[in-house]
Amino acid sequence: MTRLFNEPAAFADEMIDGFVASHGRWVKRVSGGVVRNTKSTPDTVALVIGGGSGHYPAFAGLVGQGLAHGAAMGNLFASPSAQQVYNVAKAADNGAGVLLGYGNYAGDVLHFTQAQERLRREGIDCRSIAVTDDVSSAPLAERAKRRGIAGDLTVFKVAAAAAEAGYSMDAVVDIAERANDRTRSFGVAFSGCTLPGADHPLFSVTEGRMAVGMGIHGEPGIGETDIPTADGLAELLVSRLLTEIPDGVTLAGDKTGSRVVPILNGLGSVKYEELFVVYRRVAQLLAETGLEAVDPQVGELVTSFDMAGTSLSLFWLDDELETLWNAPADAPAFRRGAVTADALEARDAVEEADVELSIPGATADSRAAAARVLAALDAAKTVVDANAHELGRIDAIAGDGDHGIGMERGVRAAVEAATDAVGRGAGAATTLYFAGDAWADKAGGTSGALWGMALRAVADAVGDIKAPDGDAVAAGVAGAAAAIMEFGKAKPGDKTLVDVLVPFRDALTSEVVAGKSLTEAWGTAAATAQEAADATANLLPLMGRARPHAEKSLGTPDAGAVSMALIIRAIHNTFAENTPTKEKA
């Protein structure tokens, strides 16, 4: 279990502060994560990596000369927000563009893609590589759906070395994609991990049993088996990976196909000595197969808090990949060869001060509506705080258990931003814009992006001039549903918050068209939303991290659907009573 923490929702921020304080030779803090604290070669591609916290040394431990130029760091097991990725990328840019590297998870794809589009609009050449090395997360025919786990290291290392060597952006992307195509990983776990503040692990494994094919966010495995001997585990890992030899690779007689980098990765609680015992047999098996192990890595490289487990990765080399893999690097958690790096000069290290956003003019009616927006957000905060633990429990059934913490961080940031906006005379739309951006930025993860979109869509509909009426609010909810389905690609029946949002939209619109007041219409639609949330218990997830464990979630409602229904109901209470609610799920 995680024993040392203060407030669970503050854990990631406080962890980053401590990491920077203890590794100032390599990194400095910027808004959203860290960047190198050493000089980079001008006019070279910058590699910015990132993902949720809880996986050290991924991702901040891989920032340094010869490796990443920056790392965007999200909340525990939640992707960094688009704003965080953008901030880190802007700080890391050397003038030749930015390559974004991340694991293939829905939240990361959403946020990194948003940041990429924003950077491109500003004239910065920005590309992306989503790592897909986990063979257990999808069949070979659907490789694009696979997760990124310990194979992050191989892809990031060769891409960074290529950038350091002066490769063009096209060439850096090509080598990163080749490394991804030639990396395969498979893992097992003996127990789940426990997030700060939680009283039980995200999943459990029966005593004497082993979960096979688990993820690095606490996702349970795809099956269970008895715990084998160390040699038996080595044989399981190697045999599974050798069933998927990358295209163009042969097992014998070809130098490019017979050299691999093996990475035996500890996930948090397995001791190094145990890993060495397992690797002893891994090395024997590789040699027996005719494979030459190049620069084996045994240790903790991509972890999952205190999960007791391990994974094996095989990185199949060619001559160019081998050269780049062996290139010098100096990062807090990965060092090889001799690297000479000059510290940044004082003027280079100064961070830009936060800029206070201006408040556009608004009518008195809209400013009064902004106060009601703040009351609604405060009600959302109260109900999320009251149910955060339960939301995490629901999410942990087949996912990573971070939904409660993520929603807490997001809604608290939204309330803080809205309070500031209202205090400075903002109208309803501006208050919603500020709140949506703050929610997306602080929550991270898929839900952070989607709630940020939702609030912005409502803001677009209500404006800063008129007092919002039922037609405007219904149009805003419709816009939110359209934006979320377009960007997230979910549809009704996929077991996501869309299964609540769409029937809520339809019911609200119908009631408003029928001439009901906004309070009456919202109340009727809130009841529809609750019914829809309850009904998700009968669905199998077809999107996100829960998809590989669909059967585990049958009988349990979707956490995102539940939190949306709770918030909708809480907002109705502010319409009816102008007071926030503390009701339970």
Side-chain angles (χ1 to χ4, degrees), residues 98-102 112-113 116 120 126-130 173 177:
V98 178
L99 175 62
L100 303 177
Y102 49 90
F112 278 87
T113 299
Q116 174 179 278
R120 286 177 173 177
C126 185
R127 318 281 183 88
S128 295
I129 178 71
V173 172
E177 291 177 344

Side-chain angles (χ1 to χ4, degrees), residues 261-497:
V261 175
I263 301 173
L264 188 63
N265 175 58
L267 282 156
S269 291
V270 175
K271 298 294 292 181
Y272 273 63
E273 288 86 350
E274 295 175 88
L275 294 175
F276 293 140
V277 173
V278 175
Y279 185 74
R280 158 192 158 277
R281 182 58 178 152
V282 169
Q284 293 171 354
L285 291 167
L286 295 178
E288 290 170 6
T289 310
L291 295 172
E292 181 179 350
V294 176
D295 189 32
Q297 301 292 312
V298 179
E300 293 183 346
L301 299 160
V302 178
T303 62
S304 184
F305 263 99
D306 60 333
M307 184 188 290
T310 184
S311 66
L312 178 66
S313 302
L314 293 181
F315 176 34
W316 301 78
L317 298 171
D318 60 25
D319 289 343
E320 185 178 24
L321 290 171
E322 185 170 355
T323 297
L324 294 169
W325 174 259
N326 288 324
D330 183 27
F334 193 90
R335 305 174 204 171
R336 66 149 41 90
V339 176
T340 301
D342 295 327
L344 291 175
E345 297 176 10
R347 68 173 184 273
D348 296 322
V350 174
E351 298 180 25
E352 294 184 8
D354 290 336
V355 178
E356 185 179 79
L357 298 175
S358 61
I359 300 291
T363 65
D365 285 344
S366 187
R367 289 197 298 272
R372 296 191 71 184
V373 168
L374 176 56
L377 289 169
D378 194 53
K381 172 184 175 298
T382 301
V383 79
V384 167
D385 285 347
N387 291 277
H389 180 78
E390 176 64 6
L391 292 172
R393 186 196 68 78
I394 294 171
D395 189 38
I397 299 297
D400 52 22
D402 71 333
H403 187 70
I405 289 178
M407 290 293 289
E408 275 189 309
R409 286 171 60 92
V411 73
R412 289 178 184 181
V415 169
E416 183 177 341
T419 300
D420 175 67
V422 170
R424 293 197 283 143
T430 298
T431 300
L432 284 164
Y433 286 137
F434 280 30
D437 289 348
W439 192 317
D441 186 28
K442 289 299 184 182
T446 305
S447 66
L450 300 185
W451 274 97
M453 285 181 188
L455 295 185
R456 291 190 67 86
V458 176
D460 289 340
V462 303
D464 277 335
I465 305 302
K466 299 179 180 179
D469 58 15
D471 289 333
V473 173
V477 172
I484 285 172
M485 287 191 288
E486 169 63 25
F487 198 75
K489 307 305 180 187
K491 59 186 183 300
D494 286 346
K495 195 166 187 172
T496 71
L497 59 77

Side-chain angles (χ1 to χ4, degrees), residues 1 12 42 64 109 117 122 139 144 157 177 203 257 261 297 312 370 419 426 470 472 479 538 545 557 571 583:
M1 61 181 295
V109 173
E117 292 171 352
E122 296 182 5
K157 174 61 177 68
E177 291 177 344
F203 71 91
V261 175
Q297 301 292 312
L312 178 66
T419 300
N538 301 318
R545 292 178 190 164
I571 290 174
E583 60 189 314

Side-chain angles (χ1 to χ4, degrees), residues 212-264:
V212 178
M214 77 300 138
I216 58 168
H217 297 92
E219 306 99 323
I222 58 175
E224 273 192 16
T225 184
D226 290 338
I227 296 177
T229 62
D231 284 0
L233 177 58
E235 289 158 9
L236 170 67
L237 297 173
V238 172
S239 63
R240 177 61 183 87
L241 293 181
L242 292 186
T243 64
E244 272 199 32
I245 300 172
D247 292 341
V249 172
T250 57
L251 282 178
D254 178 359
K255 179 182 176 184
T256 63
S258 61
R259 294 167 66 79
V260 296
V261 175
I263 301 173
L264 188 63

